[in-house]
Amino acid sequence: MDYDTVLQGKYPAKQHARRVVDYIRSKVPGATGILYLQSRSTKRHEDCDQDEPFRQRRFFYYLTGCPLADSYLVHDIDADKSTLYIPPINPEEVIWSGLPMSVEEAKAKYDVDEVEYKPVDINARLAHIASLKTKPTVFAVHAIPDEITFLGFDEKDFKVLREAIETCRSVKDDYEIAMVGKANDISSAAHRAVLEKVKYAKNERELEAVFLGQCIGRGARNQAYDSIVASGTSAATLHYVKNNEPLDGKLNLLLDAGCEWDCYASDITRTFPISGKFSKESREIYDIVLKMQNECIAVLKEGVLWEDVHLLAHKILIDGLLALGILKGDKDEILQSRTSVAFLPHGLGHYLGMDTHDTGGNANYADLDPMFRYLRVRGRLPENSVITVEPGIYFCRFIIEPTLKDEERAKYIDAAVLERYWDVGGVRIEDNLVIKKDGSVNLTTAVKDPTEMERVISES
C-alpha cells in the first residue's frame, strides 16, 4: 500500500458514522435522533498560564478526523448528516496564536456535511434540532458539561455510543491502516537511527533523544506512548520509565518506542547489543524470542483464536529454554504448571489504532489462569484488525526468585544454569500486523535480524 497516496484523501469520518449508527440500531432498533460528541477543551497547567499538551478525544476524532480543540459534532441519524462546530475567531487571540481554521478550510479538509462556528447558545441549537424530530434520543459519550442540557430530547443514552465506537474501531479501513503504516515507517527509521548511535552513547536519555528527533524531523511530533529505553537488567521491567541510566557495562538495550501519525499509533520494540555484538547468552535468548515471533506471525489470519497464538508462544519458549538447560523436566508438565509465565508474564499483544492499547480487545483481567490473565485481546481476530505481536523472555528477579521458592514450579528450573542469564535482562521483539483473510501483513520494517543489527551497529 502506498501510504502517502491513500492519505491524500480525507479521513473517512462519514463512513465511520454510518458504521456506528448501524451498530447502534442493532442494539436499539429504530434509533432516531443525534450523536453528540465533544472534542477536548484547552486546559491550563495548574497554577500556570501555559496550556497543557493537547490530546484529542479519540471518540470525537473517529467521527470527524478533526484535531481541533473546543469543538463538537452533531450527527443527525435520520438525515445521515454530520455538522462540525468549531471555535469562532477571537480577535484578541489572533495576535498571540495566529488565525484559527476557518469554516471554509474545515469544510474542505474534513469529511463532514456542514461546518459552522460554535453558536453562543449551544443548548438553543440542540433544542431546535430536537424540535424537528419525533421522540428523539441523544447518544453521547464522556462526561457532558453541566451547561449542556439536551432539552427537548425524549431520551438520553450515554452508554451505547461508546460501545459502538469501541467495537467499530477494532476493524480498520484502508485509510486507518495507511495511518498506522505511515507511523510505522517513521518509527522504523527512528529505530534504525538509534542502532547507528548506540555504541557511541553514554546514557539511555541520549538514545531517547535520537528517537524523538528522528520522529519530529519526519513530521510526527507526538509519540503514541512514553518511550521505553531500558539498558541491561532494566529491560526486565516491562514498562521501564527512567530512561536516564548510564550504558557502561550493560549488554543490551531494549527500545520500545513508536510515534503517532494524525492520532494513529505505532508500537515497535527491538532489543540489540550495545557493543555491536551479542553475548553468547544474549544471542541464545534473542534467537528463541525471534522464533516465537516468527512462528506466531505465521499462524495469523482472520478467525484465529488469539489465546491459541499466545499459547504457541509459550510452547516455543519452553522448548527453547529446555534446550538451553534453564528449564528441565517434561515440557507438558512445565506448561501446565505455568512455570513459563515467570519468563513471559504479559500477553502476546494488543489491538493497535488510535490508542496504543486500542479498543475492542475484551480483556479479562479477572481470569484465574495466570497464563491468560494479562491478555489484552481475547477471542478470534477479525479481518483488517491491527494487532501487535510482541513475545519476550525476561529475567526479572522479582518474578523468578519467588518461583524458585515454590516447590511445584522450582523443580522445573535449573538455578545454576539460570545464573548465567540474569545480565541479559530482557528481550522483546514487537511488530504491528494487519490481519487478512488468509494471513497477515507486517507494517513494521525496523531491522530485527540479529546479524544485520550487529552489522548496522558495528559499521555505524
Side-chain angles (χ1 to χ4, degrees), residues 179-437:
M179 300 264 261
V180 177
K182 178 74 172 179
N184 261 270
D185 277 357
I186 294 170
S187 295
S188 292
H191 271 268
R192 186 181 181 93
V194 172
L195 280 179
E196 293 170 349
K197 298 291 186 182
V198 64
K199 76 176 183 179
Y200 303 106
K202 301 297 183 185
N203 192 286
E204 295 165 348
R205 59 177 172 259
E206 297 172 49
L207 301 175
E208 182 176 23
V210 170
F211 188 89
L212 294 175
Q214 289 289 321
C215 291
I216 293 171
R218 287 173 164 80
R221 294 187 63 189
N222 295 323
Q223 296 295 295
Y225 54 96
D226 291 335
S227 298
I228 298 167
V229 189
S231 60
T233 58
S234 295
T237 301
L238 301 183
H239 286 172
Y240 176 74
V241 296
K242 287 184 178 180
N243 294 359
N244 63 2
E245 292 295 314
L247 302 179
D248 187 48
K250 313 287 183 60
L251 291 178
N252 308 310
L253 187 102
L254 186 152
L255 176 64
D256 186 339
C259 70
E260 282 183 3
W261 185 262
D262 288 347
C263 292
Y264 278 76
S266 59
D267 187 358
I268 303 171
T269 306
R270 293 292 183 263
T271 310
F272 43 87
I274 294 170
S275 67
K277 183 68 176 178
F278 279 113
S279 69
K280 175 180 178 294
E281 290 79 11
S282 296
R283 180 61 185 265
E284 289 169 344
I285 298 303
Y286 189 93
D287 286 346
I288 296 171
V289 176
L290 186 59
K291 179 180 174 65
M292 292 162 69
Q293 194 200 44
N294 286 338
E295 294 197 15
C296 287
I297 288 174
V299 303
L300 293 182
K301 63 179 180 179
E302 179 189 11
V304 71
L305 188 66
W306 187 242
E307 289 90 338
D308 287 347
V309 187
H310 178 73
L311 188 62
L312 174 62
H314 273 270
K315 290 179 177 179
I316 299 167
L317 179 154
I318 291 168
D319 287 342
L321 295 189
L322 278 170
L324 295 181
I326 296 173
L327 293 179
K328 59 185 180 179
D330 181 81
K331 65 181 182 180
D332 293 328
E333 290 181 7
I334 294 171
L335 181 67
Q336 290 302 318
S337 71
R338 299 313 193 226
T339 302
S340 59
V341 175
F343 298 91
L344 174 55
H346 62 74
L348 182 63
H350 50 80
Y351 285 142
L352 183 71
M354 284 191 284
D355 289 315
T356 306
H357 299 151
D358 212 26
T359 60
N362 301 311
N364 177 19
Y365 299 129
D367 195 327
L368 297 180
D369 188 334
M371 180 166 287
F372 299 107
R373 182 178 303 147
Y374 296 114
L375 281 183
R376 297 183 188 275
V377 175
R378 305 299 293 260
R380 300 191 181 278
L381 304 184
E383 185 176 13
N384 289 331
S385 57
V386 179
I387 197 161
T388 68
V389 179
E390 49 181 301
I393 294 176
Y394 308 90
F395 297 93
C396 178
R397 291 185 182 274
F398 186 78
I399 297 175
I400 295 176
E401 287 181 345
T403 304
L404 292 172
K405 297 175 183 178
D406 176 1
E407 287 186 9
E408 291 303 311
R409 293 180 294 164
K411 62 186 178 184
Y412 300 116
I413 301 175
D414 189 319
V417 177
L418 173 64
E419 194 64 29
R420 303 202 307 268
Y421 290 85
W422 290 115
D423 285 345
V424 174
V427 173
R428 181 165 66 251
I429 309 172
E430 178 180 16
D431 290 356
N432 306 161
L433 286 298
V434 184
I435 301 302
K436 293 298 182 182
K437 182 175 178 60

Side-chain angles (χ1 to χ4, degrees), residues 276 278 283 286 447-457:
F278 279 113
R283 180 61 185 265
Y286 189 93
V447 177
K448 62 181 175 181
D449 176 80
T451 303
E452 177 65 8
M453 287 196 298
E454 289 180 336
R455 185 194 68 79
V456 172
I457 296 168

Side-chain angles (χ1 to χ4, degrees), residues 40-54 93 96-97:
R40 274 288 303 272
S41 299
T42 51
K43 185 179 178 182
R44 292 285 172 85
H45 285 291
E46 187 175 1
D47 300 322
C48 178
D49 66 354
Q50 299 293 308
D51 290 338
E52 292 183 355
F54 179 78
E93 288 293 325
W96 300 104
S97 305

Side-chain angles (χ1 to χ4, degrees), residues 1-194:
M1 181 187 293
D2 183 342
Y3 304 139
D4 290 332
T5 298
V6 174
L7 297 178
Q8 287 175 5
K10 289 185 178 181
Y11 180 87
K14 284 295 296 291
Q15 176 182 314
H16 293 173
R18 292 179 185 123
R19 288 181 60 204
V20 167
V21 169
D22 286 345
Y23 183 94
I24 290 173
R25 283 181 165 163
S26 75
K27 301 293 183 179
V28 185
T32 182
I34 67 168
L35 312 181
Y36 177 83
L37 289 162
Q38 293 188 193
S39 74
R40 274 288 303 272
S41 299
T42 51
K43 185 179 178 182
R44 292 285 172 85
H45 285 291
E46 187 175 1
D47 300 322
C48 178
D49 66 354
Q50 299 293 308
D51 290 338
E52 292 183 355
F54 179 78
R55 185 179 191 271
Q56 184 59 284
R57 282 178 170 162
R58 271 35 183 172
F59 294 94
F60 177 84
Y61 194 91
Y62 189 69
L63 295 190
T64 64
C66 175
L68 300 179
D70 304 306
S71 304
Y72 59 87
L73 172 79
V74 174
H75 178 78
D76 188 316
I77 293 175
D78 309 291
D80 186 31
K81 179 181 178 182
S82 291
T83 303
L84 175 65
Y85 296 87
I86 64 175
I89 295 173
N90 179 350
E92 293 185 359
E93 288 293 325
V94 171
I95 191 172
W96 300 104
S97 305
L99 281 169
M101 180 174 283
S102 69
V103 293
E104 293 80 14
E105 291 169 327
K107 179 70 181 299
K109 186 173 180 63
Y110 306 125
D111 184 24
V112 294
D113 298 294
E114 299 291 343
V115 181
E116 299 179 18
Y117 290 121
K118 291 195 303 183
V120 175
D121 189 347
I122 178 59
N123 286 316
R125 179 65 57 87
L126 292 172
H128 175 70
I129 294 171
S131 71
L132 302 176
K133 299 182 176 296
T134 302
K135 296 184 177 180
T137 299
V138 57
F139 298 92
V141 297
H142 289 298
I144 303 300
D146 292 339
E147 62 267 22
I148 305 298
T149 61
F150 295 131
L151 291 175
F153 288 91
D154 287 49
E155 299 288 341
K156 305 173 185 65
D157 188 319
F158 299 121
K159 181 179 179 182
V160 73
L161 178 57
R162 172 186 288 273
E163 177 185 323
I165 295 176
E166 287 183 343
T167 301
C168 290
R169 279 171 55 181
S170 64
V171 175
K172 308 296 191 288
D173 48 54
D174 285 348
Y175 196 98
E176 292 177 286
I177 291 170
M179 300 264 261
V180 177
K182 178 74 172 179
N184 261 270
D185 277 357
I186 294 170
S187 295
S188 292
H191 271 268
R192 186 181 181 93
V194 172

